[in-house]
Amino acid sequence: MQKKKWQNCLMKTNRKNKTNNTNWLENFLRLIFPPDIKCIFCGKDINHFYERPFCDSCGKTLSFNVGNRCRICDEPIENEALVCDNCQKRKHYFKHAYCPFVYVDKVRQNLLSYKSDNRRYLALGYALLIVKYIGEDIKNFDLITYVPMTKTREKERSFNQSKLLAEEISKLTDLPVVESLKKNYDTKAQKELNYNERLKNIQNIFSVINKKEIKDKNILLVDDIITTCATVNACAKELSKYANSISACAVARNKLHKKAENK
C-alpha cells in the first residue's frame, strides 16, 4: 500500500509533465533501470524501498539524526538545550531545518558519491527519507526551491544535486518546484574553508528571480548537505525579502566542531 501511494504520486506528476521530453526520457529510464529496488547505501535488493530505502544491515549502522537537536538548524546537541550555540549567536533567516541524517561515516561517503560519481538514482531514496522526516509539516509549504549553482559549475558536474532532490521531493508531495534563486558567480568550495571564512565566502552571491511566484509563500528550500548553515541562510536571506517564511531541508546535517567554528 505504501509503495502504491508513492507510485500514484509519481504517476500524477508524470501525467502533468508528459509533453516534456526530458521527463519522458527520465520516465523511460526508470522503467528500464528502476531506482526503487535496491538499498541506496550498499545496492542490495530490497522489497520495502518506499517504507525505508535501505537494507536492514545498513539500517543498523546509519547515522540517523535523532535525539536532542537544535529547534532551528537541526544540529545534534549533546546537552539539553533547545537551541544550539550558533543559532543563539547569529541571525537565521529560515525558521527550521529538516535533516534525517548526520553527515558522518557511511552517509558522508554515500553523499559524496552521489555528487562526484553522478549517482543520480540515489535522489529518490534521499527524497523519501526527507519527506518522511518532515512528516506532517510538509502541509505548511506552498512550494519548493533549491540552492542554485552557476551554469559553469552545473555543466562541470552535469547536474545540480539540490535541484534533483527538489524535483524528487516535488513528485512525492505534489508541491511545485520554483526556480527562485540564481548564483551570481562561483566561489571557493565551502568545504575548504573554516566557519568564518564560509560566512564571508557566501555573502551577496545569490539573487532572487521569479519574485512574483514566491511572494508571500511558505517555501521549502532544498540542499544536499547542511554544514554551517551559511549557504542555506544566505539563500533564505534573499528569499525572505519576498516570501512569507522559509524552512530548509537536506539529506544530512553536519555537527559543528567548536574549534573549527571559532577559527
Side-chain angles (χ1 to χ4, degrees), residues 100-236:
F101 290 108
V102 180
Y103 186 58
V104 294
D105 304 330
K106 186 176 288 188
V107 171
R108 181 178 183 275
Q109 295 169 7
N110 199 255
L111 276 165
L112 289 174
S113 182
Y114 167 58
K115 295 194 292 186
S116 302
D117 299 337
N118 201 14
R119 298 174 68 188
R120 304 187 193 196
Y121 61 89
L122 295 175
L124 172 58
Y126 291 156
L128 276 166
L129 290 164
I130 290 172
V131 171
K132 287 177 179 290
Y133 189 79
I134 294 174
E136 291 297 315
D137 287 356
I138 200 71
K139 297 176 181 178
N140 298 332
F141 303 111
D142 300 310
L143 59 89
I144 301 168
T145 194
Y146 53 88
V147 175
M149 302 171 70
T150 62
K151 291 183 179 179
T152 300
R153 189 63 60 84
E154 187 170 348
K155 186 175 181 180
E156 290 175 356
R157 181 167 287 171
S158 80
F159 75 110
N160 178 339
Q161 69 276 3
S162 299
K163 179 181 180 181
L164 182 56
L165 268 175
E167 291 171 344
E168 293 293 353
I169 292 172
S170 173
K171 292 171 184 176
L172 296 172
T173 62
D174 241 8
L175 290 170
V177 176
V178 175
E179 184 182 9
S180 61
L181 292 162
K182 71 174 181 177
K183 192 173 183 180
N184 299 319
Y185 53 87
D186 281 318
T187 57
K188 291 182 180 179
Q190 290 285 80
K191 64 182 179 180
E192 300 173 1
L193 308 174
N194 65 40
Y195 183 80
N196 290 324
E197 288 173 340
R198 287 174 184 237
L199 294 178
K200 294 179 181 178
N201 189 50
I202 211 75
Q203 287 181 355
N204 303 317
I205 68 167
F206 298 111
S207 298
V208 174
I209 56 178
N210 296 324
K211 298 174 183 177
K212 291 183 179 180
E213 293 190 51
I214 67 168
K215 184 173 175 55
D216 299 326
K217 301 296 185 182
N218 299 313
I219 297 175
L220 180 64
L221 171 66
V222 180
D223 202 358
D224 58 331
I225 305 159
I226 295 178
T227 305
T228 62
C229 294
T231 300
V232 292
N233 201 41
C235 289

Side-chain angles (χ1 to χ4, degrees), residues 65 67-78 82 84-87 97 99 102 227 229 253-258 261:
N65 193 12
N68 193 34
R69 306 180 299 282
C70 175
R71 291 191 175 183
I72 298 175
C73 74
D74 216 23
E75 180 190 3
I77 301 178
E78 294 178 359
L82 299 179
C84 70
D85 293 342
N86 181 50
C87 288
C99 307
V102 180
T227 305
C229 294
R253 176 72 171 92
N254 196 33
K255 182 167 172 40
L256 291 178
H257 299 288
K258 300 305 176 184
E261 179 182 340

Side-chain angles (χ1 to χ4, degrees), residues 27 52 58 97 227:
N27 295 335
R52 57 186 190 283
C58 286
T227 305

Side-chain angles (χ1 to χ4, degrees), residues 21-121:
N21 289 333
T22 302
N23 285 321
W24 179 89
L25 177 59
E26 177 188 335
N27 295 335
F28 177 72
L29 290 174
R30 282 183 181 228
L31 289 174
I32 300 177
F33 306 106
D36 57 352
I37 60 173
K38 295 182 180 295
C39 170
I40 62 174
F41 293 98
C42 72
K44 179 181 178 180
D45 286 350
I46 54 176
N47 58 11
H48 52 253
F49 185 91
Y50 287 87
E51 294 177 12
R52 57 186 190 283
F54 49 83
C55 67
D56 294 338
S57 296
C58 286
K60 296 176 182 178
T61 62
L62 295 175
S63 50
F64 295 102
N65 193 12
V66 296
N68 193 34
R69 306 180 299 282
C70 175
R71 291 191 175 183
I72 298 175
C73 74
D74 216 23
E75 180 190 3
I77 301 178
E78 294 178 359
N79 55 39
E80 296 181 358
L82 299 179
V83 178
C84 70
D85 293 342
N86 181 50
C87 288
Q88 291 182 40
K89 295 175 183 176
R90 294 177 173 87
K91 182 176 180 178
H92 282 63
Y93 293 88
F94 58 88
K95 291 176 59 177
H96 186 69
Y98 302 88
C99 307
F101 290 108
V102 180
Y103 186 58
V104 294
D105 304 330
K106 186 176 288 188
V107 171
R108 181 178 183 275
Q109 295 169 7
N110 199 255
L111 276 165
L112 289 174
S113 182
Y114 167 58
K115 295 194 292 186
S116 302
D117 299 337
N118 201 14
R119 298 174 68 188
R120 304 187 193 196
Y121 61 89

